Amino acid sequence: MNRTIAEKPVEKLSEDEAREELARLAAEIAKHDRAYYELNAPLISDAEYDALRRRNAEIEARFPHLIRADSPSRRIGAPPAREFAKVRHRVPMLSLDDVFTEEEFREFFARARRFLGLPSDAPFHFVGEPKIDGLSISLTYERGEFVRGATRGDGIEGEDVTANLRTMPAVPVRLHGDAPDLIEIRGEVFMSKADFLALNAAQEAAGERLFANPRNAAAGSLRQLDPRITAKRKLSLFAYAFGATSEPIAKTHWQFLQRLKHWGFAVNPLSRRIGSEAEAATFYQEMAEKRASLPYDIDGVVYKIDDLALQERLGFVGRDPRWAVAWKFPAEQATTVLEEIRIQVGRTGALTPVAVLQPVNIGGVLVRHATLHNEDEIARKDIRVGDTVIVQRAGDVIPQIVGVVLAKRPPHAKPFVFPDHCPVCGSLAVKPPGEAVRRCTGGLTCPAQVVERLIHFASRPAFDIEGLGEKTIAEFYADGLLRGPVDIFRLPDQEAKIAAREGWGEVSARKLSQAILARKRIPLDRFIYALGIRRIGEVTARQLARHYGSFRHWREQMLAARNPGSEARVELDSISGVGPAIAEELVDFFSEPRNIATVDALAKILTIEDVEAPRTGSILSGKTIVFTGQLTSMTRQEAKARAESLGAKVTDTVSRKTDYVVVGDDPGSKARRAAELGVRTLSEAEWLQIAGIKENTAAPT
Ligand code: IVH
């Protein structure tokens, strides 16, 4: 490269120099486009990239006859597709609850027995499968042909990586033998330890970035915009579950695994049929011993109840099935020195102590911070700054401090004194008797709380605004670009200002605007969750959205519920899964005029989508139902879960709004009240029929 030409001001370039410079810029910009868009690994900052493009444009303006056919300014639509299309999974892709001990494992399935109303010694048959540490994908087959493949994404919506999956020999393009009209196959894409080492060696030789572990290598290889790159990476797949299907495909999970093999998928050969919890524990030990010698990384064992009819009855809580669990391998531990205890202030004002550690490698991950939970925990374990502490890390959870190595305590280490004022805004921090957490009383005057609320608001399960992460929010807040959630939607008007910020540029500023504008439509449940009201997690937000249906109705009812004797308050309290503590938080939130103003300002600029009852074709869809008395064929918990999956809203009290009351044995006042109000009652047999469950144990009507 000719340094002197590259450094010359545009107005001083001769025609020959300009020609040479345009050629250099075209090649240079193409290289950076590739690094940015295809490899996901920019080599220069956005500002430097913009400077290259600007120089190219300026030279072209001076010498229009020199504009090259391959000039970066001519490329139509400028950047190539920089994102994958989104795909909605027909059936959500869920995750698994974790357990770490045999006791927790047994308790998990004891809960499943209680849910089903089975005796505590009723046997379960399971399938045990090694838990592969890769990334899950969903493959859709129509009439046996592979038509679409997607990443898990947030479980509801993933990224369309069909073209990349097609390059993988492990993904059959056509199913062998007889296949249903429609089936979504789920499995884990991973890279073997050997292929990972070979890939990193090649990356190193080529001066490219190295991957931290096989999981990242697999994810990085699958999420390539250029499928030719994916094709060169060695990716493997084990299939282990299904999503939507057009017909029943097996009676047991084990049978399903056999069909998978027959269709042409690899199923982990270590998968095993297991007859009891005791056998499951043996299998776990075996896998733990095998772990190091396996050609791929595993981080535990997944146990699934074998009987698919039982799986169906057990259903899900939130994102996790009640019929499967991941029994993870034990946490890995190391010792290091505790350098400082920092107090973080959360979204709801909670003061959380965080351990700042001398960096230590635990199971391949460099750990610098650990949670200390709360002040009681520090006192109980008598953790002091300067102590040598035992740190443990398990799965994705934040590392924890297990204890102190007292023999190594420095002589002058003092017990930690927990602050009684907020370290950020100086407001009093109070700890109500009986509670473990001390909270800042500053509310919205406390910058830490405001920033944390904004982070929550933009986070993945809430508004999911890509590019608006913790660091950006904190910086924008500090510089006055953001004060509250409404300001987020004003950021696109300030694109030029953002582009001019250090570390930004036109490309990333535009990307951020697009990400924000794309989220001006939001489903009601995400909106409610995003508000960050205490105790309102994703599950409760969904419950509320389902119950109230529309933003207007929800808002109106929340305002009315402030009156303790109101019908709205009774209704709120009676929503299954809500309860008085949650109702109290909602009422508190809506008693604060500033909160109402924020909610209304947001509603003005957003389109908040109504939540419709799932179209299940059931007569229960969208209806409100109450259960009373003892059901003989299923537990109350199962009945509620079943009704909800059929699109019904389950409440605990009978009112004029109730559509059906299912009356079991020994009904109490609710059946009387139903009669008074003229609400339709259903016998258990009628309920079973509506629920689509074959009656065998129910009493005759
Ligand atoms: S079953 C509803 N089986 O673990 C059940 N998952 O923590 C869905 N995984 O997202 C998952 N090996 O990426 C299942 N044999 C296996 C698995 C497995 C690995 C991963 C999967 C899932 C995560 C849940």
Side-chain angles (χ1 to χ4, degrees):
M1 193 211 315
N2 188 331
R3 271 263 152 248
T4 46
I5 298 182
E7 282 158 11
K8 236 181 188 176
V10 174
E11 60 279 8
K12 298 224 167 109
L13 292 174
S14 70
E15 183 164 333
D16 281 348
E17 286 172 334
R19 188 177 294 113
E20 201 177 311
E21 183 63 350
L22 286 176
R24 178 187 77 87
L25 287 166
E28 184 84 8
I29 292 170
K31 178 177 98 184
H32 292 304
D33 279 346
R34 195 172 155 271
Y36 184 94
Y37 294 115
E38 295 175 16
L39 307 177
N40 247 321
L43 305 167
I44 52 174
S45 71
D46 283 353
E48 288 167 302
Y49 176 82
D50 286 339
L52 291 177
R53 289 190 77 106
R54 215 175 308 121
R55 183 167 169 84
N56 188 72
E58 282 166 15
I59 301 174
E60 288 182 343
R62 245 194 92 201
F63 302 98
H65 60 289
L66 294 182
I67 298 179
R68 300 166 57 91
D70 67 349
S71 164
S73 63
R74 279 195 164 192
R75 228 169 297 146
I76 323 154
R82 130 169 64 85
E83 273 175 8
F84 295 98
K86 297 268 194 256
V87 199
R88 221 181 150 79
H89 303 298
R90 282 190 169 87
V91 167
M93 287 182 79
L94 298 131
S95 46
L96 293 169
D97 203 357
D98 286 343
V99 294
F100 285 92
T101 62
E102 182 168 349
E103 196 188 341
E104 287 171 5
F105 172 76
R106 285 179 181 272
E107 175 50 29
F108 184 88
F109 288 106
R111 272 201 301 276
R113 287 188 180 84
R114 288 199 291 275
F115 180 92
L116 294 167
L118 293 173
S120 60
D121 57 354
F124 274 145
H125 289 266
F126 305 97
V127 173
E129 298 166 3
K131 185 171 188 296
I132 309 286
D133 202 5
L135 69 150
S136 49
I137 46 124
S138 184
L139 307 166
T140 306
Y141 288 82
E142 285 173 12
R143 283 173 293 282
E145 300 281 345
F146 174 53
V147 293
R148 206 166 313 102
T151 60
R152 178 175 182 276
D154 62 2
I156 306 293
E157 211 177 57
E159 290 177 323
D160 187 334
V161 287
T162 312
N164 299 358
L165 287 163
R166 271 193 204 286
T167 69
M168 283 175 54
V171 174
V173 281
R174 163 144 259 298
L175 302 181
H176 296 291
D178 55 330
D181 275 353
L182 168 81
I183 186 160
E184 287 176 334
I185 304 286
R186 269 100 197 244
E188 200 84 354
V189 169
F190 63 97
M191 193 177 280
S192 74
K193 294 177 188 169
D195 289 333
F196 160 71
L197 292 175
L199 171 62
N200 260 358
Q203 293 281 108
E204 184 157 29
E208 305 257 7
R209 148 185 98 99
L210 299 188
F211 293 102
N213 51 47
R215 210 205 84 80
N216 287 4
S221 301
L222 188 64
R223 293 186 71 256
Q224 287 289 335
L225 286 161
D226 183 351
R228 285 169 302 184
I229 300 175
T230 310
K232 288 191 204 134
R233 305 274 172 86
K234 295 219 169 62
L235 292 172
S236 311
L237 167 75
F238 279 134
Y240 52 61
F242 58 86
T245 61
S246 53
E247 58 192 66
I249 39 168
K251 283 200 173 345
T252 64
H253 181 66
W254 186 255
Q255 262 179 20
F256 164 67
L257 293 183
Q258 309 319 308
R259 283 199 84 178
L260 275 176
K261 284 192 250 180
H262 189 71
W263 284 329
F265 291 99
V267 169
N268 194 318
L270 297 169
S271 306
R272 190 181 298 171
R273 225 173 343 174
I274 281 166
S276 67
E277 272 92 336
E279 254 182 66
T282 314
F283 184 63
Y284 175 83
Q285 286 312 329
E286 273 179 45
M287 291 302 115
E289 280 157 28
K290 269 207 159 70
R291 183 182 188 185
S293 61
L294 288 176
Y296 43 80
D297 279 344
I298 64 171
D299 56 357
V301 182
V302 180
Y303 293 91
K304 304 174 180 173
I305 290 185
D306 196 24
D307 185 335
L308 295 183
L310 284 184
Q311 287 191 7
E312 160 88 25
R313 282 181 60 191
L314 284 160
F316 297 87
V317 247
R319 289 163 185 266
D320 303 331
R322 290 192 189 85
W323 44 266
V325 74
W327 185 352
K328 296 292 229 15
F329 292 133
E332 294 179 87
Q333 297 190 339
T335 57
T336 188
V337 174
L338 172 63
E339 291 183 333
E340 187 191 336
I341 295 178
R342 231 177 248 166
I343 306 292
Q344 272 180 0
V345 185
R347 162 167 70 82
T348 57
L351 266 47
T352 309
V354 175
V356 181
L357 306 167
Q358 228 167 56
V360 57
N361 188 322
I362 313 181
V365 174
L366 201 62
V367 174
R368 299 165 193 278
H369 299 110
T371 174
L372 288 164
H373 300 290
N374 53 52
E375 63 182 287
D376 291 350
E377 171 96 355
I378 300 179
R380 197 165 52 78
K381 293 186 177 156
D382 186 19
I383 298 170
R384 305 182 184 190
V385 172
D387 270 344
T388 294
V389 290
I390 304 162
V391 187
Q392 89 172 15
R393 189 193 135 247
D396 296 334
V397 299
I398 305 168
Q400 305 187 334
I401 300 223
V402 191
V404 172
V405 184
L406 280 179
K408 292 199 179 169
R409 170 164 287 170
H412 303 298
K414 287 190 206 60
F416 183 70
V417 182
F418 206 89
D420 54 8
H421 282 79
C422 172
V424 177
C425 71
S427 302
L428 196 66
V430 295
K431 182 164 160 312
E435 280 194 27
V437 177
R438 188 177 286 276
R439 281 174 208 280
C440 159
T441 54
L444 284 174
T445 62
C446 174
Q449 290 189 49
V450 176
V451 168
E452 289 300 322
R453 282 184 206 200
L454 286 167
I455 292 170
H456 173 84
F457 189 89
S459 70
R460 203 161 183 190
F463 271 76
D464 189 18
I465 300 173
E466 215 167 303
L468 198 58
E470 292 186 29
K471 201 167 143 258
T472 305
I473 289 177
E475 286 171 11
F476 282 11
Y477 178 83
D479 295 348
L481 271 165
L482 277 183
R483 285 287 163 212
V486 178
D487 297 336
I488 292 178
F489 300 96
R490 297 198 183 116
L491 290 175
D493 304 334
Q494 317 206 43
E495 199 177 296
K497 206 163 145 192
I498 295 172
R501 291 176 68 91
E502 202 181 322
W504 287 76
E506 279 173 31
V507 178
S508 33
R510 193 177 334 120
K511 226 165 122 180
L512 178 63
S513 298
Q514 284 166 351
I516 292 170
L517 295 175
R519 293 293 185 258
K520 285 184 89 167
R521 258 192 109 78
I522 183 130
L524 178 60
D525 55 334
R526 277 181 179 255
F527 178 80
I528 295 177
Y529 173 75
L531 296 175
I533 304 168
R534 231 178 117 193
R535 295 183 210 270
I536 312 288
E538 284 175 82
V539 175
T540 311
R542 224 171 299 143
Q543 208 93 15
L544 290 166
R546 278 271 303 276
H547 187 90
Y548 292 103
S550 71
F551 168 74
R552 275 186 50 186
H553 186 49
W554 178 62
R555 177 190 182 279
E556 170 203 292
Q557 291 294 302
M558 292 305 100
L559 293 180
R562 292 179 301 186
N563 177 353
S566 63
E567 231 178 273
R569 179 61 195 259
V570 175
E571 181 174 334
L572 175 61
D573 282 334
S574 79
I575 300 173
S576 180
V578 168
I582 290 175
E584 197 69 45
E585 294 293 349
L586 281 161
V587 166
D588 284 355
F589 182 87
F590 277 95
S591 302
E592 167 66 52
R594 274 188 300 191
N595 289 339
I596 303 173
T598 302
V599 166
D600 289 347
L602 284 169
K604 228 180 193 161
I605 49 179
L606 300 172
T607 308
I608 305 172
E609 296 170 359
D610 293 356
V611 171
E612 285 168 24
R615 271 188 291 274
T616 57
S618 160
I619 65 154
L620 290 183
S621 184
K623 297 288 195 268
T624 302
I625 188 166
V626 173
F627 290 92
T628 179
Q630 180 88 34
L631 298 178
T632 54
S633 55
M634 65 177 76
T635 62
R636 180 72 66 86
Q637 203 188 359
E638 182 178 358
K640 278 186 179 175
R642 184 87 198 166
E644 275 170 0
S645 74
L646 290 168
K649 298 185 262 189
V650 182
T651 66
D652 296 331
T653 42
V654 179
S655 75
R656 257 178 287 275
K657 291 186 180 159
T658 312
D659 295 292
Y660 300 107
V661 176
V662 177
V663 183
D665 292 348
D666 301 327
S669 59
K670 289 181 193 171
R672 261 199 317 279
R673 178 116 179 97
E676 277 164 31
L677 294 171
V679 173
R680 164 114 199 251
T681 57
L682 298 173
S683 68
E684 181 163 2
E686 285 171 308
W687 150 250
L688 287 177
Q689 206 172 24
I690 292 170
I693 293 169
K694 282 188 203 69
E695 184 187 351
N696 42 24
T697 49
T701 37

